[in-house]
């Protein structure tokens, strides 16, 4: 760990042992008594949630919600939000590797634009405060009271970007009763080391402080290799560059990768004969390679609640630091396995072995992510009937990263860099006025203001040619909302809920610029200037002043919206309720990027804008909740029907054409050389490529979700859920086919992204939403054996099953008859966007002595070693993306005081 990591944890545990010396007996006794009561009683504990922005019982809250306790999170090996994906009905979470950010999908909806221009479809809140950047959702999760996952539009109370749901991570508050704490450690496969702990110290009868921290280190679970045969070797060590020669020239059929066997540029690209030879790959050290972990976080929270006062104030300061190698796309070798050479071969033709968990790179991965959080909640009772709640939130994120883009699968070398200065700062405030909970009318009204400013400094580097540098110092969002919601008792058992929210949101880009550098304008060294390039420092293209031109991104957009909620819930008995509601949700439109492109031949400038419209949703839901068998069985069931309008979908594509001076290529895509060995140049009509957002005209989602929590006997517990979901595009969506068109149509890159290429026109009406299995199920079984004076033995077994689904919205196998694909249907099965059904198995055995002051546990996650793909990015017939972690096992231990 880093020094600051060691210092932080030492501080926490030093305080813990100090506190232990003062009041260890009281804290331990309280914890043991509570745990034993839970084990011995047959009834389920009562769980309170804040889904309505006031504390209510889970089984009495008329909304689909899952609540996960700290114990459940630890049992399932949860380190961050991404790890709860299998614990919540309708939830799926993947990682977009280029942005180092999670992509959260709920009930068939996700946001594919996780840049500063996009907004999530599932809002993430920390202690009730909205966290705007999805990178923040990866912050380590520890010492939490619970995690609440609300499903369905939360537009009235939670507002922006909660069109399909909201996740609220609620940290444990300080307590006044006693000084106590705990320490947990974990050691596992891949040299994994985890340590976390907390200490709770009441400094007086009305003021307490709680300090918690967590550190995580893990080697990469990939087989990594550094490749000296790629075009850009500036990042590689002398050891890698002097690896054994396996061939004097490329195209000898020698080597395990494309860059060893087929570098068409290698004979002419430079003046150093030694650099022209084909060399062996060098294995990378696992401790700092892609997909490793090196993170830590600490949190200091205080609670002030004067005994003779009428208020309480909860303050949280939190810091999260990530110094890992980041993530990288991997090849889906399972899907490619056995593909004939005529269709492109399998991983044996692309990589050193037939294994998905491997990567060949020339740019080492690096992620530097620092996030500072400050949150404050003030509760003030004006009188017996009215109270005020004031929420304040501040979040500052700084990040830089570097990532290999083509991972050795293409001689055209590329990497993406985000530099120091990239980040986001946001603050929000919300003022609520709440009634008491005892009358026939219970209501809440409030106003919310949110401001965020993002800065982006980085570039994409095509090592042979174009570089695009982004300098966007001030992209801002200002959002103001006024809301109210009330529940009126029409009778003792029948309750009416009405809610309304007015939203006003403005997004603006001030001073943003995109710079261009290419061989044609003399900024880049040239197609065959490999020696010149590799004599440059690694930061040679980080200075925008060397770029000969740019275009401005200045842009602005504003949107307003009215959201509502109408609901009825009826208490059939003291233990059973039914409810129904209709509610709307809203996600603002976007300003998109602006492109002012210069025609190389005429000098004329053309402006392209990529603004997109708001996303709107309307959901009808009917559900029931019941506590049965003397409160030993909780059942929740819900049916929902959702209508989406203008759902936002982001992808890379062409937004227009412009003439550029570029090399003339032959039929195989190689530059044609003149008599001097230099590429032949000519003005050519080329597409303008952008990452932009489209609006899906209309889609419909419906489903059933069943949850259960059963304690059939003292010491036994069965929990889980089952779901059915049908999520489809239901209106004509005429767009350009963007799922690996080069391979499927056997066309050039330029043709594949041409905006006027009629061959690529398609209608996606009827396609399934991405990452939405039709059926899912999750079951956990826990059994506790009471060993008498020898303590307790807890066994836990969990299986999570998901039906087959699609990893993208393209649904390739549905378009084999209406698209003129050149490759045969057989070839598409090796690279389509289907994901097979899978079952994930987790298990653990934990021992606790009679005092329950410590524990020891062995565990295994993904016991069946399932290969699960979450994000798909297929190109040139090769399916790649982000994948879940392979089988992981280890031991945990901890003690409390």
């Amino acid at each position: 760990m880093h020094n600051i990591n060691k210092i932080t944890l030492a501080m926490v545990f030093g305080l813990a042992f100090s506190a232990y010396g003062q009041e260890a007996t009281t804290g331990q006794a309280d914890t043991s008594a509570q745990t034993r009561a839970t084990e011995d009683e047959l009834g389920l504990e009562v769980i309170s949630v804040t889904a309505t922005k006031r504390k209510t019982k889970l089984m009495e809250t008329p909304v689909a919600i899952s609540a996960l306790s700290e114990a459940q999170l630890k049992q399932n090996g949860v380190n961050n939000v991404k790890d709860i994906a299998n614990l919540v009905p309708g939830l799926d979470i993947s990682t977009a590797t280029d942005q180092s950010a999670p992509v959260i999908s709920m009930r068939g909806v996700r946001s594919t634009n996780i840049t500063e221009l996009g907004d999530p479809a599932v809002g993430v809140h920390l202690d009730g405060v909205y966290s705007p950047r999805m990178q923040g959702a990866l912050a380590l999760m520890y010492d939490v009271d619970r995690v609440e996952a609300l499903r369905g539009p939360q537009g009235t109370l939670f507002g922006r970007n909660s069109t399909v749901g909201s996740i609220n991570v609620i940290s444990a508050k300080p307590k006044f009763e006693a000084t106590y704490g705990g320490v947990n450690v974990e050691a596992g496969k891949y040299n994994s080391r985890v340590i976390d702990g907390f200490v709770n110290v009441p400094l007086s009868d009305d003021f307490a402080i709680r300090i918690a921290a967590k550190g995580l280190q893990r080697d990469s679970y990939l087989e990594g290799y550094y490749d000296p045969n790629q075009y850009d070797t500036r990042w590689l060590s002398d050891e890698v560059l002097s690896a054994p020669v396996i061939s004097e020239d490329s195209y000898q059929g020698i080597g395990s990768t494309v860059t060893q066997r087929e570098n068409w540029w290698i004979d002419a690209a430079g003046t150093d004969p030694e650099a022209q030879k084909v060399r062996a790959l060098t294995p990378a050290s696992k401790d700092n390679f892609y997909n490793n972990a090196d993170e830590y976080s600490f949190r200091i929270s205080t609670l002030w609640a004067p005994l003779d006062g009428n208020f309480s104030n909860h303050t949280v300061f939190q810091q999260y630091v990530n110094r890992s190698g980041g993530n990288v796309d991997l090849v889906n070798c399972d899907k490619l396995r056995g593909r004939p050479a005529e269709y492109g071969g399998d991983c044996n033709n692309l990589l050193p072995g037939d294994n998905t968990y491997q990567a060949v790179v020339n740019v080492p991965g690096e992620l530097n992510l620092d996030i500072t959080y400050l949150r404050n909640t003030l509760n003030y009772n004006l009188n017996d009937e009215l109270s005020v709640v004031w929420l304040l939130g501040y979040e500052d994120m700084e990040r830089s990263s570097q990532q290999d883009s083509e991972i050795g699968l293409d001689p055209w070398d590329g990497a993406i860099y985000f530099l120091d200065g990239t980040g986001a700062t946001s603050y929000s405030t919300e003022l609520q006025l709440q009634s008491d909970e005892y009358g026939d009318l219970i209501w809440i009204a409030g106003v919310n203001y949110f401001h965020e400013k993002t800065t982006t400094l980085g570039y994409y580097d095509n090592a042979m040619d174009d570089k695009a540098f982004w300098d966007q110092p001030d992209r801002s969002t200002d959002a103001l909302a006024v809301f109210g919601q009330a529940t009126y008792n029409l009778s003792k058992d029948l309750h009416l809920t009405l809610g309304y929210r007015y939203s006003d949101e403005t997004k603006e880009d001030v001073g943003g610029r995109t710079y261009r550098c290419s061989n044609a304008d003399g900024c880049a060294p040239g197609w065959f200037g490999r020696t010149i390039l590799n004599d440059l420092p690694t930061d040679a293209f980080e200075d925008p002043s060397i770029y000969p031109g740019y275009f401005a991104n200045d842009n602005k957009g504003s949107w307003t919206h009215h959201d509502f909620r109408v609901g009825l819930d009826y208490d059939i008995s003291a233990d059973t309720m039914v409810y129904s509601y209709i509610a709307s949700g809203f996600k603002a439109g976007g300003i998109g990027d602006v492109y002012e492109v210069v025609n190389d031949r005429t000098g004329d400038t053309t402006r392209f804008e990529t603004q997109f419209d708001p996303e709107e949703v309307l959901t009808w839901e009917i559900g029931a909740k019941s506590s049965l068998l003397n409160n030993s069985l909780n059942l929740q069931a819900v049916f929902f029907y959702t209508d989406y309008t203008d759902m936002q979908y982001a992808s890379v594509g062409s937004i227009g054409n412009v003439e550029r001076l570029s090399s003339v290529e032959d039929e195989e895509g190689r530059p044609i050389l003149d008599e001097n060995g230099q590429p032949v140049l000519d003005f050519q009509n080329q597409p303008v490529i952008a990452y932009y957002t489209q609006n899906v005209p209309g889609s419909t989602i419906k489903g059933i979700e069943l949850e259960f929590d059963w304690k059939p006997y003292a010491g036994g517990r069965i929990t889980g859920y089952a779901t059915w979901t049908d999520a489809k595009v239901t209106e004509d969506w005429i767009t350009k086919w963007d799922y690996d068109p080069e391979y499927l149509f056997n066309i050039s890159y330029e043709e594949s992204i041409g905006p006027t290429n009629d061959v690529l026109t398609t209608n996606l009406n009827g396609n399934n939403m991405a990452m939405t299995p039709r059926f899912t199920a999750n079951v956990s079984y826990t059994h506790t054996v009471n060993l008498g004076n020898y303590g307790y033995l807890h066994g836990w077994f969990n299986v999570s099953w998901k039906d087959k689904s699609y990893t993208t919205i393209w649904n390739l196998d549905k378009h084999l008859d209406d698209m003129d694909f050149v490759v045969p249907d057989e070839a598409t099965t090796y690279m389509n966007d289907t994901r097979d059904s899978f079952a994930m198995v987790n298990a653990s055995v934990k021992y606790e002595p009679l005092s329950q002051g410590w524990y020891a546990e062995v565990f295994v996650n993904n016991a069946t070693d399932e290969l699960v793909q979450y994000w798909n990015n297929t190109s040139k017939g090769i399916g790649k993306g982000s994948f879940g972690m392979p089988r992981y096992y280890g031991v945990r231990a901890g003690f409390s005081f």
Side-chain angles (χ1 to χ4, degrees), residues 49-343:
V49 295
T50 56
T52 57
K53 293 208 171 184
R54 64 170 75 233
K55 186 171 288 188
T56 58
K57 295 178 182 179
L58 173 67
M59 297 303 292
E60 297 177 1
T61 305
V63 65
I65 179 174
S66 299
L68 307 173
S69 67
E70 168 88 346
Q72 288 175 290
L73 299 175
K74 283 188 175 298
Q75 194 174 56
N76 285 272
V78 171
N79 285 312
N80 54 46
V81 164
K82 185 169 65 69
D83 297 330
I84 71 170
N86 290 333
L87 305 181
V88 177
L91 185 65
D92 208 308
I93 305 178
S94 57
T95 301
T97 58
D98 58 341
Q99 294 286 339
S100 301
V103 180
I104 304 177
S105 172
M106 186 179 282
R107 289 183 171 180
V109 180
R110 64 176 178 172
S111 174
T112 52
N113 189 341
I114 35 73
T115 70
E116 73 282 358
L117 289 170
D119 291 308
V122 180
V124 175
H125 296 76
L126 306 176
D127 293 319
V129 176
Y130 178 65
S131 180
R133 290 299 106 203
M134 295 310 294
Q135 288 86 356
L138 286 180
L140 291 172
M141 195 180 294
Y142 57 98
D143 192 33
V144 301
D145 182 75
R146 65 192 178 280
V147 176
E148 299 178 3
L150 287 73
R151 303 185 297 282
Q154 307 301 320
T156 301
L157 291 180
F158 290 90
R160 63 191 308 271
N161 307 331
S162 298
T163 53
V164 72
S166 174
I167 296 174
N168 193 6
V169 182
I170 302 170
S171 61
K173 286 185 179 180
K175 298 184 183 299
F176 304 122
E177 292 79 12
T179 297
Y180 62 97
V183 178
N184 304 281
V185 295
E186 176 182 310
K189 191 179 180 183
Y190 311 115
N191 195 26
S192 176
R193 294 93 72 199
V194 185
I195 182 170
D196 70 84
F198 77 95
V199 59
N200 183 92
V201 181
L203 300 180
S204 67
D205 291 339
D206 57 14
F207 189 85
I209 186 172
R210 191 178 184 106
I211 304 174
K214 182 171 184 175
L216 165 64
Q217 282 194 322
R218 186 193 65 240
D219 289 352
S220 173
Y221 48 82
L222 306 181
E223 295 177 12
Y225 301 89
Y226 289 119
D227 183 3
N229 307 290
Q230 297 188 33
Y231 200 91
D232 188 352
T233 62
R234 292 174 296 160
W235 297 95
L236 302 179
S237 67
D238 291 340
E239 177 189 5
V240 175
L241 294 176
S242 59
V245 175
I246 63 173
S247 175
E248 293 296 321
D249 193 4
S250 192
Y251 281 92
Q252 300 299 306
I254 299 174
S256 57
T257 67
V258 173
T259 52
Q260 288 176 315
R261 298 191 307 269
E262 302 175 16
N263 274 353
W264 51 262
W265 44 260
I266 200 165
D267 291 333
T271 57
D272 182 2
E274 289 299 309
Q276 314 301 82
K277 299 177 180 179
V278 180
R279 297 183 181 272
L281 308 177
T282 301
S285 174
K286 290 183 177 293
D287 62 347
N288 60 359
F289 194 70
Y290 289 97
N291 290 51
N292 73 331
D294 188 358
E295 309 167 63
Y296 69 89
S297 179
F298 69 90
R299 180 170 61 241
I300 302 172
S301 60
T302 62
L303 180 62
W304 181 29
L307 298 176
D308 56 352
N310 53 2
F311 74 91
S312 67
N313 193 81
H314 180 216
T315 303
V316 178
F317 174 82
Q318 185 172 336
Q319 184 76 28
Y320 168 66
V321 176
N322 188 325
R323 293 289 183 267
S324 68
N327 297 312
V328 69
D329 285 342
L330 305 175
V331 177
N332 191 334
C333 291
D334 276 16
K335 186 176 282 288
L336 284 179
R337 187 166 295 122
R339 183 170 69 173
E342 61 184 299
Y343 300 147

Side-chain angles (χ1 to χ4, degrees), residues 106 317 410 496 539 759 889:
M106 186 179 282
F317 174 82
D410 193 329
L496 170 68
D539 61 355
V759 175
Y889 51 81

